[in-house]
């Protein structure tokens, strides 16, 4: 996932901004995010980033 994606994604529950926490990133200055968490700045719901793909499904729809 590119960090610039944060400019266009929002929490699917309440449409507020998401805060990024990176746990793994590709090598390089602007390496893509491999793993981490997106957290809603309002409701606090978290969305995982796995294998570079953010899972923005609401919690009740995730496996």
């Amino acid at each position: 996932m590119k960090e610039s994606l944060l400019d266009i994604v929002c929490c699917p529950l309440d449409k507020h901004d998401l805060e990024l926490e990176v746990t793994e990133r590709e090598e390089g200055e602007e390496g893509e995010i491999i793993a981490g968490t997106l957290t809603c700045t309002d409701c606090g719901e978290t969305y995982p980033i796995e294998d570079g793909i953010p899972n923005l499904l609401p919690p009740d729809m995730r496996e």
Side-chain angles (χ1 to χ4, degrees):
M1 177 186 122
K2 294 183 185 291
E3 198 162 339
S4 61
L5 185 63
L6 284 176
D7 294 338
I8 58 173
V9 297
C10 64
C11 177
L13 299 177
D14 59 21
K15 309 302 184 225
H16 284 89
D17 290 337
L18 295 170
E19 189 173 273
L20 173 66
E21 181 181 326
V22 178
T23 56
E24 184 181 353
R25 186 186 290 264
E26 284 183 346
E27 295 288 326
E29 212 173 284
E30 294 186 26
E32 290 196 17
I33 298 158
I34 303 300
T37 305
L38 295 168
T39 305
C40 178
T41 58
D42 190 61
C43 72
E45 188 60 54
T46 59
Y47 303 93
I49 303 168
E50 298 172 345
D51 297 322
I53 301 168
N55 183 345
L56 295 174
L57 287 174
D60 59 338
M61 297 182 73
R62 293 185 213 152
E63 291 184 333

